[in-house]
Amino acid sequence: MGAVTLRVGNLDAMIAYYRDAVTLELQSHDGPVAVLGRGTTPIVILQHAPELAAPEPRSAGLFHTAILFDTQAQLAAAVYSVGTRHPGSFTGSADHLVSQAFYFTDPEGNGIELYWDRDRSAWSWTHGQVEMDTLHLDPNAFISEHLTAEGQAHPSFGNAIVGHVHLSVGDVGSARAFYVDKLGFEATATLGPSALFVSAGGYHHHMAMNTWNSAGSGKRRLALGLGEVDIIVPTGDDLGALGERMSHFGVQTRRDGQTLSFDDPWANQITVRTA
């Protein structure tokens, strides 16, 4: 997964939150666009769009951007930083068996997950479905166990990437038809009719779609919030094959020689590029 683009109303406040609280580095700030990430890896792109209104209640869009850390110490540093600087933005935590995760909401209502993966050898699969759960995870105990002096002094140490992107959609059946049958992800888990998890290459999930806050929603109107989801494929041949696949299914695509873009059934923009 590549960077997630967010349309924001208050660019300075959002930069401050993702830089100072979430512990991302400001990689570039060119007029109305700011890019934050770790090292050379962009994670969140903020586009200033103060003319737009907030999303309609219970509309489709972003559920959360999930930022994956290499170690529990790096995760603990980021969780401690957000908890210290913006304690009111914490919304919950859970042990999902495959991962340990902490959830927040940024100043404009966009969901964020900060997480660490257990080794793949510890994941359990049954008939192609990965076992995940939502078990209690005490954030204070996690920080107490894993926060180091380095993490407390320099919370932006280490690498991080977008591990997965979770969307709010109108219905799971249409999400499966688009993201699995057309786009080509593999379904890795379902939660009845309310949530679908998909991935490539045997990961627990690169994307997820749920109806928890958006059941029955139709296409999004242009608003603050999610602007674009970026997916990275290995080669130009992969990009070309995907373009042919989407054309075969009648999905309208936009190509500029470098990327392939299209909208899902709820007008969430997906852009695919090569590594």
Side-chain angles (χ1 to χ4, degrees):
M1 302 302 294
V4 171
T5 299
L6 301 175
R7 304 186 191 101
V8 305
N10 187 330
L11 182 59
D12 290 340
M14 292 288 276
I15 289 173
Y17 182 83
Y18 282 94
R19 179 193 60 206
D20 301 336
V22 181
T23 71
L24 302 183
E25 299 159 353
L26 182 60
Q27 297 176 329
S28 67
H29 185 185
D30 185 9
V33 178
V35 180
L36 296 102
R38 285 284 182 91
T40 59
T41 303
I43 293 176
V44 176
I45 299 172
L46 304 177
Q47 292 183 342
H48 195 207
E51 72 282 2
L52 297 180
E56 295 176 340
R58 305 190 66 80
S59 63
L62 183 69
F63 189 70
H64 61 235
T65 300
I67 302 173
L68 174 62
F69 295 85
D70 285 346
T71 69
Q72 289 168 299
Q74 292 165 14
L75 173 58
V79 173
Y80 178 79
S81 175
V82 185
T84 301
R85 294 176 179 270
H86 284 269
S89 68
F90 175 72
T91 58
S93 55
D95 187 321
H96 294 305
L97 300 182
V98 295
S99 62
Q100 293 176 307
F102 300 86
Y103 298 94
F104 304 87
T105 302
D106 76 17
E108 298 195 1
N110 301 293
I112 306 165
E113 175 183 340
L114 308 180
Y115 77 111
W116 165 80
D117 274 337
R118 289 190 170 90
D119 189 84
R120 289 192 181 209
S121 63
W123 303 354
S124 178
W125 294 81
T126 303
H127 303 300
Q129 299 288 287
V130 66
E131 183 182 359
M132 293 191 289
D133 206 334
T134 301
L135 306 177
H136 176 70
L137 177 60
D138 185 324
N140 293 315
F142 181 88
I143 290 170
S144 177
E145 181 177 356
H146 298 291
L147 182 64
T148 62
E150 178 186 16
Q152 194 165 353
H154 305 286
S156 62
F157 79 104
N159 297 318
I161 61 172
V162 175
H164 64 268
V165 178
H166 200 143
L167 301 178
S168 295
V169 299
D171 70 280
V172 167
S174 297
R176 178 184 289 271
F178 185 84
Y179 285 98
V180 177
D181 300 339
K182 295 176 182 177
L183 185 49
F185 278 116
E186 297 175 346
T188 56
T190 56
L191 293 177
S194 66
L196 170 69
F197 301 81
V198 303
S199 83
Y203 192 54
H204 53 74
H205 67 293
H206 285 110
M207 295 192 72
M209 307 90 203
N210 76 66
T211 61
W212 300 329
N213 300 320
S214 55
S217 62
K219 288 189 175 183
R220 301 168 57 207
R221 63 176 174 83
L222 186 62
L224 296 175
L226 180 64
E228 182 179 319
V229 175
D230 212 32
I231 298 174
I232 300 172
V233 295
T235 69
D237 289 342
D238 297 308
L239 192 64
L242 177 60
E244 293 178 4
R245 180 182 178 91
M246 300 307 274
S247 296
H248 170 76
F249 285 110
V251 177
Q252 289 190 334
T253 60
R254 301 173 291 277
R255 312 178 195 216
D256 63 7
Q258 302 283 328
T259 65
L260 178 73
S261 298
F262 41 84
D263 295 342
D264 77 2
W266 300 275
N268 296 307
Q269 180 174 314
I270 311 298
T271 297
V272 186
R273 68 186 73 247
T274 56

